[in-house]
Amino acid sequence: MNRYYISNEKADFGYYPNYSFETGDIDGDGKKEFIALDQSGNTLSAINLDGGLVFEQKLQNNGNWGTVLIGAADINGDGRDEITVPCGAGVAAFDGKGRIIQERRFDFAQKDDYGISVPLLGIAKILSPDEPCVVAAAAGGTIAALDKNFNEIWRVGGFRGQYGHEIHFADIDGDGLDEIAFCTVDHINRGFDKNANVGELVLLDHDGTIILRKRVDDYVEDTHFDDIAPADFLGNGTSQILLEKGVLIDLNGDIIWDMSDQMEHGQWIAYAPAPNGIGKTVFIS
C-alpha cells in the first residue's frame, strides 16, 4: 500500500497568496521551488522546499485581492524555469536570482476593479509544441500572445474590459498547439446584472481566432466561471468543456449535460480516467 506523508513543513511566505501561487525549478537542481505574490501583487517571492528564501523582488502592482497569476516555464532554453508575472501595465520575466530577463509593456492596458492591469497570464504552446509563449489579458479587453523574446505574436481586442480569475490552455483540436479558455466580464468585483454586468465564456485558437464566445448567463446566472476544463470527458475521441458550476458543453457551446441545480457554487475541477475505462470521472469542489 502506498503511504503518503508531509515531507516539508517549513515553506512559509508569511502571507496568503490566494490565486497567486505557482511552482517551478528556477535554479535547475531538479526540485521545484514555491513562487508566490502577496495580495497586492507587488511582492514576488520564491522559497525552496526547506523554507529558505531564494529571492524576493518588488514589482509595480497595487492590487487588493490577490488574483494576479504567475507563469513558470523555461522560456530561454537554459534548463531552468523563468518566472513570468504581471508588472504594472505589462509583463516581466525573472530568472532564478530575481533578475529581469524580459519585459513588455502594453500601452493599451487599463486597470480592473482590483487595481491590476494584466489580470490573466499564462504559458502556452502558441508557435510550436516545444516553445513556451506567454499569453496575457490586459484590462480594457485585449489579449496578447508573446514569444520567448516577448515580441508580440498576435493581439485580439474587443472583449469586455475585465476577466474571471483564471486562464486555461489545452490542445483541444489535436494540432499540438494550445487553445485558450477564459471569461471576460464588465466588472469582476460586482454581482451579476443582465443589463449592467455581463460575463462571457471565450475560447480562442492558438492564433487568436475566436472559436467560441457565449454569455455566461446562457448557462447560469453569474458573471464568470471559476474553473474551466477542456478534455475528452465522454471518451469518444472529441473534446468537451466542463464548467465548474456543473455544466458540460461541446465546442459549439451547446449543453451536453447540466447538473448546476445540484450545486450551490462550484469552484475547482479535477478529473481522472473513469474506472470503466471510458471518459473521465469528474470531481468539483
Side-chain angles (χ1 to χ4, degrees):
M1 183 178 68
N2 292 326
R3 296 184 180 274
Y4 299 92
Y5 60 95
I6 297 173
S7 61
N8 297 78
E9 298 185 14
K10 298 178 181 179
D12 184 2
F13 289 102
Y15 56 78
Y16 172 53
N18 204 355
Y19 285 81
S20 307
F21 179 80
E22 186 57 271
T23 61
D25 181 10
I26 63 175
D27 57 10
D29 67 351
K31 298 179 181 179
K32 291 190 175 185
E33 284 69 49
F34 298 122
I35 309 158
L37 291 163
D38 67 349
Q39 289 206 327
S40 72
N42 198 42
T43 300
L44 172 64
S45 305
I47 60 178
N48 60 33
L49 294 175
D50 295 323
L53 181 67
V54 180
F55 75 82
E56 188 171 273
Q57 186 65 260
K58 293 296 182 181
L59 307 179
Q60 300 169 26
N61 301 314
N62 293 286
N64 60 21
W65 201 59
T67 59
V68 181
L69 299 185
I70 301 170
D74 183 8
I75 294 175
N76 60 9
D78 65 353
R80 301 177 177 88
D81 288 333
E82 284 72 49
I83 302 168
T84 307
V85 289
C87 186
V91 295
F94 292 83
D95 66 12
K97 296 184 178 180
R99 300 174 297 199
I100 291 181
I101 62 168
Q102 298 289 355
E103 192 169 14
R104 177 86 181 199
R105 293 187 64 80
F106 300 134
D107 56 8
F108 47 82
Q110 302 174 20
K111 286 189 177 182
D112 70 3
D113 289 346
Y114 299 130
I116 297 298
S117 295
V118 184
L120 298 182
L121 174 149
I123 308 297
K125 297 173 290 186
I126 297 298
L127 293 176
S128 79
D130 303 317
E131 180 179 343
C133 297
V134 176
V135 176
T142 301
I143 313 293
L146 309 176
D147 66 15
K148 62 183 180 182
N149 297 313
F150 276 31
N151 296 314
E152 187 175 295
I153 304 168
W154 51 255
R155 183 194 307 180
V156 182
F159 297 110
R160 296 178 186 271
Q162 301 186 27
Y163 305 93
H165 307 309
E166 298 276 15
I167 189 166
H168 307 269
F169 308 104
D171 179 14
I172 294 175
D173 56 12
D175 64 357
L177 302 176
D178 285 333
E179 281 66 53
I180 305 157
F182 59 93
C183 285
T184 176
V185 61
D186 294 318
H187 289 281
I188 188 56
N189 200 26
R190 298 183 191 175
F192 169 69
D193 183 330
K194 65 180 180 180
N195 297 312
N197 192 31
V198 171
E200 294 176 331
L201 170 67
V202 180
L203 180 66
L204 301 180
D205 205 348
H206 67 273
D207 60 0
T209 301
I210 296 175
I211 299 174
L212 175 69
R213 185 171 182 175
K214 294 273 288 186
R215 283 175 59 129
V216 172
D217 61 353
D218 285 349
Y219 306 106
V220 294
E221 288 195 357
D222 207 328
T223 59
H224 64 284
F225 295 109
D226 290 291
D227 205 1
I228 303 166
D232 181 6
F233 291 101
L234 300 179
N236 62 8
T238 66
S239 293
Q240 303 84 42
I241 298 174
L242 180 63
L243 309 171
E244 101 296 337
K245 297 297 187 287
V247 182
L248 184 71
I249 63 175
D250 63 22
L251 299 188
N252 294 316
D254 297 325
I255 295 174
I256 298 171
W257 51 254
D258 183 351
M259 299 183 66
S260 59
D261 61 343
Q262 301 184 41
M263 305 182 65
E264 182 177 352
H265 180 86
Q267 188 70 38
W268 306 112
I269 295 171
Y271 57 87
N276 65 2
I278 302 174
K280 303 285 189 290
T281 296
V282 174
F283 307 85
I284 300 179
S285 64

